[in-house]
Amino acid sequence: MSSFRNAVKRKTHKERAQPAARAKFGLLEKHKDYVQRARDFHRKQGQLKILREKAAFRNPDEFYFKMQSSSTKRGVHQVNRDNSLDDDTIKLLKSQDMNYVKMKLQTEKRKLDKLEGDLHCLSAMAAIPKQNKHTIFLDSDEEPEDLDLAEYFDTVPELLDQSHNRQRKDQLEEYNEMQKEKERRYLEITEREKRKRKLERAAKHLETERLLMGKGKKRKIKVNF
Amino acid sequence: MKGGSKVVIEPHRHAGIFIAKGKEDALVTRNMVPGESVYGEKRISVDDPAEEGKKIEYRVWNPFRSKIAAAVLGGVDNIWVKPGAKVLYLGAASGTSVSHVSDIVGPTGVVYAVEFSHRSGRDLINMAKKRTNVVPIIEDARMPLKYRMLVGMVDVVFADVAQPDQARIVALNSSYFLKTGGHFIISIKASCVDSTAAPEAVFASEVSKLKKDNFKPQEQVTLEPYERDHAVVIGSYRVAKKKKE
Ligand SMILES: C[S@@+](CC[C@H](N)C(=O)[O-])C[C@H]1O[C@@H](n2cnc3c(N)ncnc32)[C@H](O)[C@@H]1O
């Protein structure tokens, strides 16, 4: 149903902009802006209400053990530090933490290196924009406009973007030749199949003739034109 | 190795480099020493299509750790490092990239790996023990005369020494070892040359320095997203100014 309703073009209501004469009052608020502003306002009101309620229902006898080790300082909550460890011990522990993190970092780096080592994103590289710059130096009497890149690289124009491996024309030819050779061999199979079938038919025919010439009564069962 | 058969190996534009597709999605080189990882990198073995029951092993080449790999994925036209090539590698560090270059050039090529820090040099030498085509040289690349007896003429000079005078170091080494018409690959870290100037400006000034030293830059790629403010410049050495048409 809804899709049908969507198919019918509905009237679009356009909100007007601030008329030029009233420009001094600033931008005219649109309904969309009003909704945002109102939602924000009501959210804040709701939060204030919750806080007021909490304060009203406060239990003066509330106690947690954590309260013994913490206090407030001008209304701001403070946590008392655990002073059982002296400075030197803490220093030592911190350096041990650091060593552990450093060791983890090392192993992570090594693993990353290893992965990067054999995943070079070669196929992906051709798709993303080139990051490097390739300069070709010409003789002073050559014009850059005359340079045919495909010819310069001895490759086909389609491979110019595949900078990680622009195979040379003769390499591609070799590949094409292999392809042709394969096609030729497939063709040979079908041809030979055909010939085999013909020969089988002929062999059967000859066999019948041989039997016909043998002893016994002969009877026509089918005429082959 | 489990699941090895699910990986498809695609040849890359550059000979000797491949792309493995499957559980991984990675640049790989064919491992010259099957069964060994050099720096803990992943190995992938697949069935040899040429020989039944045989396996070929590839090593994942991490572009985040190797400037050449980053440049290859950045789409350079030619890296000149190819099977059979002789390469002078300046600033080999522990030999992580060198091992892949050694995979690419294969048994018929040679990599002369120069590194002056003894600490990194130790790893380099250990790596070279297993790879017969790597010649480790623990010397300062600023003094090529010290190792001239070890190094023959090379096809490619690669430099990643991360020093402000890198251009000069490369010019010096090339004058001794790089054949006429050979090629250079230089990785430039902008902050190592001039930490105050804009990277683009640093790259341009390095390129003009190279031009003065008989180098003919052909292309330059920056290495994002693998490295920031790095560029790799590739070009040829001592070629005739005019091309014959
Ligand atoms: C950014 S790292 C190379 C990383 C390496 N290419 C890789 O991708 O795995 C730079 C290296 O160059 C080395 N190096 C710096 N100056 C050198 C110099 N003058 N001679 C030889 N090596 C140097 C440093 O010791 C450091 O190991």
Side-chain angles (χ1 to χ4, degrees), chain B residues 187-213:
Chain B
S187 148
I188 304 169
K189 183 179 179 184
S191 62
C192 269
V193 181
D194 183 347
S195 53
T196 55
E200 288 294 323
V202 175
F203 301 151
S205 85
E206 289 295 291
V207 165
S208 67
K209 270 189 226 165
L210 289 169
K211 276 187 188 156
K212 280 186 203 123
D213 279 315

Side-chain angles (χ1 to χ4, degrees), chain A residues 117-118 120-123 125 131-137 139 141-142 153 163-168 171, chain B residues 11-13 25 27 60-63 73-75 77 216-222 224-226 242-243:
Chain A
D118 56 86
H120 303 164
C121 308
L122 296 183
S123 15
M125 217 60 107
Q131 295 175 47
N132 67 344
K133 212 166 170 188
H134 194 157
T135 317
I136 294 167
F137 300 101
D139 279 339
D141 58 345
E142 288 172 317
F153 285 110
S163 63
H164 74 268
N165 189 10
R166 298 184 183 111
Q167 287 178 318
R168 289 175 190 281
Q171 285 177 314
Chain B
H12 194 272
R13 167 188 184 82
D25 185 17
L27 196 68
V60 172
W61 194 4
N62 188 346
L73 291 182
D77 179 33
K216 183 170 178 290
Q218 287 166 336
E219 52 184 329
Q220 169 189 321
V221 276
T222 59
E224 290 88 3
Y226 307 107
K242 268 272 161 268
K243 265 197 311 187

Side-chain angles (χ1 to χ4, degrees), chain B residues 4 29 32 41 64 67 74-75 86 111 131 175 177 188 201-202 206 211 235 243:
Chain B
T29 56
M32 225 182 62
E41 75 286 16
F64 289 97
K67 317 277 158 52
K86 295 188 172 57
V111 187
R131 291 171 176 267
S175 68
F177 307 119
I188 304 169
V202 175
E206 289 295 291
K211 276 187 188 156
K243 265 197 311 187

Side-chain angles (χ1 to χ4, degrees), chain B residues 65-68 89-98 114-117 120 137 139-143 147 158-163 165 169 187 189 230:
Chain B
R65 300 183 67 168
S66 169
K67 317 277 158 52
I68 308 191
Y89 194 116
L90 306 174
S94 333
T96 52
S97 292
V98 177
V114 181
E115 167 61 50
F116 80 162
S117 137
S120 317
I137 299 168
E139 288 288 355
D140 189 342
R142 291 190 183 93
M143 290 177 253
Y147 48 83
F158 173 84
D160 181 15
V161 283
Q163 298 285 342
D165 57 341
I169 295 179
S187 148
K189 183 179 179 184
H230 271 72

Side-chain angles (χ1 to χ4, degrees), chain B residues 117-152:
Chain B
S117 137
H118 281 270
R119 249 176 62 147
S120 317
R122 238 188 338 254
D123 295 335
L124 180 65
I125 290 172
N126 280 335
M127 190 268 296
K129 277 182 192 156
K130 306 239 173 63
R131 291 171 176 267
T132 46
N133 61 0
V134 177
V135 181
I137 299 168
I138 312 300
E139 288 288 355
D140 189 342
R142 291 190 183 93
M143 290 177 253
L145 280 178
K146 284 200 177 168
Y147 48 83
R148 70 174 192 285
M149 306 304 284
L150 295 170
V151 181

Side-chain angles (χ1 to χ4, degrees), chain A residues 63-75:
Chain A
F63 176 77
Y64 301 105
F65 286 102
K66 188 78 191 250
M67 288 175 181
Q68 292 175 316
S69 65
S70 54
S71 58
T72 57
K73 202 174 186 181
R74 270 198 249 125

